[in-house]
Amino acid sequence: MASTRILFLFSLMFSFFMASSFASNFQQEFDITWGDGRAQFLNNGELLTLSLDKTSGSGFKSKNQYLFGKIDMQLKLVPGNSAGTVTAYYLSSLGSTHDEIDFEFLGNLSGDPYILHTNVFTQGKGNREQQFYLWFDPTADFHSYSILWNPQHILFSVDGTPIREFKNLESRGIAYPKDQPMRIYSSLWNADDWATRGGLVKTDWSKAPFVASYKNFNSQACIWSSSGSSSCSSSSNNSNNTSWLKEGLDSTGQQRMKRVQSKYMIYNYCSDTKRFSQGLPPECTLT
Ligand SMILES: *[C@@H]1O[C@H](CO)[C@@H](O)[C@H](O)[C@H]1NC(C)=O
């Protein structure tokens, strides 16, 4: 009798422990915002899929608002002929002077490379595009795309390799996102007027529905509450570890980033002297 009860207690405790130490559940962290059933939670919330057809795309957003964070997500992008489709995955605040940190994946014909498009908006102003090819097929498997956003810098990483850094240069008069809490957003939509080869290749609707998948969301972040306070923690086990708030880019990291940029970067606003004929944005000439 007693031993069964103890066993039962143990299994209860064990399942509780399991639940709290597993990677977070999408249903707990995100709300589906649009798409009329085209966005779905699967496998008990371990997987989320977005889909796009001729009628509509779909999207989701985080329940939480964050004021700084280290946010990882694994994505598997629309396979096959994905030309014309865009999968956007970004952080954004609200309003006309919003801040935004963007990953956008521009689809392509089968076998042709996706473009990873990135941008940073501060106080409503963007125009800071950098684009990359990836060193793997982002549709064959899940890969992780991370944003580290702390008071010193914003770092974009792909599978742990830093690809782009936006430094806090407030002391030099350049706005930096640090006052406006942001949510995570993602959407899959049709952008065949510009996405693939500048709009030349249109979406082939006979291939619809187009599907992108998400798993293993992990955040160490300061969660903002409407009372104006912010509590910093992590959704993983070491919930008091806030070393990410001070995490920089060491010289090895710098070198890895430079190498990736020289091999895979296909557009850099900081090199576009034609576009910025009146002078490059100030952050391009500092550092
Ligand atoms: C699609 O493939 C073409 C041809 O290789 C390439 O020029 C282009 O950058 C690729 N990506 C997009 C999104 O257009």
Side-chain angles (χ1 to χ4, degrees), residues 83-85 105-109 111-116 131 133 194-199 201 266:
T85 72
F105 301 89
L106 318 185
N108 216 335
L109 294 169
D112 280 348
Y114 262 73
I115 289 178
L116 170 53
Q131 296 186 332
Y133 286 144
W194 62 272
T196 307
R197 297 180 57 202
V201 188
I266 53 170

Side-chain angles (χ1 to χ4, degrees), residues 5 10 47 60 79 83 119 140 143 157 177 190 192 200 224 234 245:
R5 201 175 297 157
F10 260 101
L47 189 71
F60 65 89
N119 205 351
H143 291 270
S157 302
N190 178 43
D192 66 0
L200 283 178
W224 190 84
S234 141
L245 260 171

